[in-house]
Amino acid sequence: MTFENSLQFAQSLDEKDPLKTYRDKFHIPKINRKDCIYFTGNSLGLQPKSTRQFVEEELLDWEKLGVEGHFHAKKRPWFHYHKFSKEALGKIVGAKPSEVVSMNSLTTNLHLMMVSFYRPSEKKFKIVMEEGAFPSDQYAVESQVKFHGFNPSEAIIEIKPREGEATLKTDDIVNTIEKNADSIALVLFSGVQYYTGQYFDLKSITAAGHKAGAKVGFDLAHAVGNVLVNLNDSGADFAAWCSYKYLNSGPGGVSGIYVNERHANNPDLPRFAGWWGHNEEERFKMEKGFIPMEGADGWQQSNVNVLSSAAHMASLQIFKEAGIDKLRAKSLQLTGFLEYLIKSDLEDSVQILTPKNTEERGCQLSLVVKKDGKKVFDTLTKEGVIADWREPEVIRVAPVPLYNTFEDVFNFYSIMKKVLIE
């Protein structure tokens, strides 16, 4: 698309936007009695207006039915609650409904996935990941390596950008895997890197990992609901994600996992089992001997967190209506417009770390203000912009297609320009 640097142009794009009505489905926070410019959906998505109804339906069932809500809840019996999100999640991540399930929290799920897919031997024990991965991923990998009796400094291979660059080259990732093929047991990468906003080539990374005889998984925290991850097409063995960022399911919202069907029905695959993953037809016999449910459901451990999952369902319904393909198309335009405006006359003051290639990024642009970055960020906040500061020097901004507008993008640029000039 060819862009223009004007408010009128931004408004004309909003007028033609086929998804423009979805903004009205969300609560927009206010600063100084005006709608803020909310560019932190990559940290916590906004609340759908329907969330209250979904949660209150479960509260009412609990009030009226008590424990009987497990089987007799009016709309969504709690016993089967995990099933109600499968179709929507499958479409969002490019998987079969049987290969996904919402459960637990993200880091817990990463550990559960590594229990099954990080099976080190004396020779093949190393894990490949990107340098500077989100801290929780780093801690999870480090502790898993120690649990198996290995030294993290020897067992973890971190790939860093080339000298003078901010993001990784796919060739460098593939080459590192190939060079260490004899010792790698697992490749565990982010889908979208939280700091730089880089969207990795899942398919190429998976192919390289499998060629090396390793299992391959992804942390999709910043990718799910943002980019087209197409997990089945990628060939990945597993993935995990949170739902409180682009999936708008509330602070600490329920996580989710993907297990490829070539593994999902293997009862001999090691796992840390719990009763909610046991064959539901025999679950209440309360007998010994774990028999996993088919598909990803067999990795469940405990009862579904119904209230959190109700909020999750509210947002997934919106995704089902809007369609992830259409959201991705608008996202490319929003982020492209923001990039265009910054490059039009702010390049002397602002560097964009996120890749220029639209196939290598989602909603997020990571900006480095070359002078007094934190001071600029604080001033932006006072001016009604909710963005995100990440040490040591990045302002993360994410125009989300469900509720952000082209006018939001232009107004952010205008405020930033004013702040930088002053």
Side-chain angles (χ1 to χ4, degrees), residues 223-237:
V224 67
N226 176 15
V227 293
L228 304 178
V229 291
N230 293 326
L231 285 174
N232 273 349
D233 183 62
S234 76
D237 295 293

Side-chain angles (χ1 to χ4, degrees), residues 366-385:
S366 296
L367 311 178
V368 176
V369 177
K370 297 176 183 178
K371 182 180 179 182
D372 298 327
K374 186 59 167 62
K375 183 178 178 181
V376 169
F377 172 79
D378 291 339
T379 305
L380 287 170
T381 304
K382 292 176 183 177
E383 292 289 333
V385 176

